[in-house]
Amino acid sequence: MKAGARGFDSKLVHSGAQDDAHGSVVTPIYQTSTFAFESAAHGAECFAGKTDGYIYTRLGNPTIRALEDCVAALEEGCGAVATSSGMGAVTTAYLALLKGGDHVVSTASVYGPSRILMEGHLAGFGVASTYADTSDLDAMRHALRPETRMVYVETPSNPLMQITDLFAAAELAHANGALLVVDSTFASPYLQRPLALGADVVLHSVTKFINGHADVVGGILAARDASLLQKLRKMMTLTGCNMDPHQAFLVHRGLKTLSLRMERAQATAGRVAHWLEARPEVDWVRYIGLPSHPQHELAARQMSGPGAMISFELKGGLAAGESLMNRVKLATLAVSLGGVETLIEHPASMTHSGVAPKERAQAGISDGLVRLSVGIEDADDLVEDLRQALEPA
Ligand code: LCS
């Protein structure tokens, strides 16, 4: 990193730069599967971990390293491990930090596949789990068991924007001998730094705000200390869910404008959320920046802004939501989130359709809920698009 890059935005631009022979301002794409050793002894030293040299791209690569170092600096962690997808990061955290006989307490309204992987597959290896409303500290406390070894929190949660108090969750987890792992995808490091609040591992689907351009799938984990980082890196290399150099180059390129994108999308989201809340067709709106959000004040303490994700339900329920999604013209009907373009989707039939209806209802994901990921288009155009979609011709 360049001397003098102390603030978040300077780190965004300058962290993770890797030296190369030609003085490239941007880290090149090291499109290679393997790296030549200087000698047999050097190869042996690399394998023994006695020197920092690169060996093989699944284990490490300068382009991937540049992204990892940048995210580690932003998250204030001791290092980071990039993965092929956000689910690769979730899988790595579960497998690296849990074993048969352990118990996990997790946020009930997490991204569907994070829950399905735990309840449907890790359970088969003897890992038990309890899904609780972690925005309620008593519910989280009651869910803990003596054998709880991980508290897995998604905050803000997908798609309900529930906020878990990370400082309190870290205290609860640590007092119980458990690690706190936080999926911070909805916030991005620009709005929230879980490690500074006591979390042990923070992970992201970089597919979303970190890359920000809807053109790459990827994930990353950052760890509080070197022993956790080593466990995560070892599991990532064993499961083979590594990022590739071209993917890392694109993500690092997108990441540099995170602050600018987030500021603009968040300002527009605030306007859209207030507008939606005042519409007669709308039953309720869940946006962290609205005083009506149940954890509005906690979010204001824990995050530096409310972000760009909105969930809402129309009074006409599912049918009205479907009609809205079919009638928007500027917003795109698609899953994923966190890009420069506004996306609209229906969690019950799309992102969270794999979660059983009963569990979905318990987690508060109603059938009429519509999720909006606000991009950086003109706020006036987005409001007009929603207006024409809401009002019958
Ligand atoms: N964690 C969160 C909070 C997510 O929203 C997602 C994906 C993942 C992890 C997994 O990341 P991936 O493997 O897709 O990079 N969320 C999606 C969503 O809400 N719509 O489409 C994907």
Side-chain angles (χ1 to χ4, degrees):
M1 179 159 49
K2 281 204 169 177
R6 284 182 284 274
F8 187 88
D9 291 342
S10 304
K11 288 188 205 165
L12 256 187
V13 177
H14 293 292
S15 298
Q18 302 287 302
D19 289 337
D20 83 329
H22 308 290
S24 312
V25 171
V26 172
T27 306
I29 306 174
Y30 285 89
Q31 193 70 53
T32 180
S33 59
T34 194
F35 297 83
F37 301 124
E38 289 157 20
S39 64
H42 175 230
E45 276 177 16
C46 286
F47 268 91
K50 290 185 186 149
T51 173
D52 229 6
Y54 291 100
I55 298 173
Y56 182 62
T57 282
R58 177 161 52 78
L59 313 181
N61 171 294
T63 317
I64 301 170
R65 181 68 183 267
L67 173 67
E68 291 171 338
D69 287 353
C70 185
V71 172
L74 300 176
E75 288 288 6
E76 299 166 30
C78 80
V81 178
T83 53
S84 53
S85 67
M87 282 314 297
V90 175
T91 305
T92 300
Y94 287 173
L95 294 182
L97 307 176
L98 293 168
K99 60 180 186 332
D102 289 350
H103 172 253
V104 178
V105 173
S106 179
T107 304
S109 71
V110 283
Y111 175 56
S114 301
R115 181 165 180 169
I116 296 162
L117 176 63
M118 177 60 68
E119 290 186 315
H121 300 276
L122 272 280
F125 296 94
V127 180
S129 56
T130 302
Y131 281 78
D133 175 0
T134 55
S135 69
D136 174 348
L137 288 179
D138 282 334
M140 184 162 30
R141 193 177 294 114
H142 282 125
L144 290 168
R145 296 185 195 163
E147 66 276 20
T148 305
R149 290 294 159 267
M150 181 188 287
V151 174
Y152 181 92
V153 164
E154 194 177 291
T155 183
S157 69
N158 182 0
L160 281 169
M161 319 311 155
Q162 281 169 322
I163 307 292
T164 298
D165 183 333
L166 289 175
F167 188 76
E171 280 195 336
L172 272 182
H174 295 158
N176 203 75
L179 295 169
L180 177 64
V181 176
V182 179
D183 183 336
S184 192
T185 297
F186 269 43
S188 89
Y190 181 61
L191 298 180
Q192 164 172 292
R193 266 128 27 229
L195 299 181
L197 296 171
D200 300 285
V201 173
V202 56
L203 66 88
H204 294 272
S205 164
V206 304
T207 317
K208 315 293 159 34
F209 292 101
I210 286 187
N211 177 57
H213 293 77
D215 51 8
V216 181
V217 169
I220 204 155
L221 307 118
R224 178 176 47 80
D225 69 35
S227 79
L228 286 170
L229 184 71
Q230 202 182 6
K231 285 183 187 171
L232 297 170
R233 182 165 293 286
K234 186 173 172 194
M235 188 52 68
M236 180 279 289
T237 63
L238 288 173
T239 50
C241 60
N242 58 289
M243 194 175 265
D244 82 49
H246 187 243
Q247 202 183 358
F249 172 84
L250 286 171
V251 174
H252 200 169
R253 176 184 158 121
L255 175 57
K256 289 180 188 183
T257 54
L258 175 66
S259 301
L260 301 173
R261 288 184 281 105
M262 219 19 158
E263 279 300 327
R264 168 60 83 89
Q266 172 171 270
T268 304
R271 203 171 136 211
V272 170
H274 278 100
W275 181 84
L276 279 171
E277 204 169 44
R279 289 293 303 192
E281 301 89 344
V282 175
D283 194 3
W284 53 261
V285 179
R286 191 61 84 80
Y287 177 63
I288 296 164
L290 290 175
S292 59
H293 187 286
Q295 293 103 32
H296 178 67
E297 276 159 30
L298 167 62
R301 285 204 306 278
Q302 179 164 295
M303 300 169 67
S304 61
M309 298 298 300
I310 304 172
S311 281
F312 61 99
E313 179 148 354
L314 298 177
K315 286 183 182 145
L318 177 56
E322 275 173 352
S323 154
L324 173 82
M325 286 184 280
N326 286 330
R327 288 170 58 98
V328 288
K329 294 178 176 148
L330 183 63
T332 302
L333 177 55
V335 296
S336 200
L337 58 111
V340 292
E341 54 289 284
T342 296
L343 303 179
I344 191 164
E345 71 113 5
H346 178 232
S349 70
M350 297 173 186
T351 44
H352 293 68
S353 57
V355 179
K358 187 167 149 251
E359 267 126 39
R360 244 186 356 245
Q362 272 169 0
I365 305 168
S366 55
D367 284 347
L369 189 156
V370 174
R371 191 187 75 182
L372 199 60
S373 169
V374 177
I376 62 169
E377 300 95 338
D378 287 284
D380 285 346
D381 289 348
L382 282 172
V383 166
E384 190 42 43
D385 190 35
L386 291 167
R387 183 200 312 280
Q388 66 78 30
L390 278 177
E391 288 172 359

